[in-house]
Amino acid sequence: MPENSDHFLLICETCQGSDSADALRTAIADKLPSCFAIRGVSCMAGCSHPTTVGFQAADKAQYLFGRISSAQDIEALAAFAWQYQDSADGWTNATDRPSALYTKTLSRMPRILSGGQA
């Protein structure tokens, strides 16, 4: 994990197994901004849409994408990572995200502000 990580790409290791998660990690690692660390996580409740991938960073909206299965999806996730890094609050509209992710967005949760407000 990069020492300066403040952004995280989460890859579910449950539905498709750790081998699938490791393959995704290998395919995307060199495409991410240096501020990202990749974490394998247990179930993110996207079991009907494997493989699920999440984005999170302090003070930013969080995202969950599902049905990640192709090289095009991986390229779209990498492009979104750069977009997410450059956004002050992480908020993006569906039409601003890479088009391959348009129908793969499972959730966008607002950022948590100091004091616990969204």
Side-chain angles (χ1 to χ4, degrees):
M1 178 182 316
E3 289 182 28
N4 60 343
S5 297
D6 60 359
H7 286 69
F8 300 94
L9 177 74
L10 310 173
I11 302 173
C12 181
E13 296 180 335
T14 302
C15 293
Q16 298 293 320
S18 60
D19 288 345
S20 177
D22 288 344
L24 178 53
R25 177 192 309 264
T26 299
I28 200 167
D30 292 340
K31 300 174 183 344
L32 297 175
S34 62
C35 65
F36 270 86
I38 301 173
R39 292 182 175 166
V41 298
S42 293
C43 187
M44 290 190 284
C47 302
S48 61
H49 307 285
T51 295
T52 55
V53 173
F55 283 82
Q56 67 181 190
D59 295 322
K60 288 191 175 188
Q62 298 179 51
Y63 289 84
L64 183 64
F65 297 102
R67 298 179 305 280
I68 303 303
S69 60
S70 69
Q72 181 182 12
D73 294 340
I74 292 168
E75 292 299 323
L77 289 172
F80 180 75
W82 288 91
Q83 182 182 29
Y84 187 70
Q85 170 199 256
D86 292 340
S87 172
D89 61 4
W91 198 262
T92 64
N93 294 319
T95 55
D96 294 333
R97 289 178 223 132
S99 61
L101 298 178
Y102 187 77
T103 61
K104 296 180 182 260
T105 305
L106 302 179
S107 72
R108 173 181 61 195
M109 297 175 57
R111 66 186 178 142
I112 297 174
L113 301 175
S114 300
Q117 297 177 350

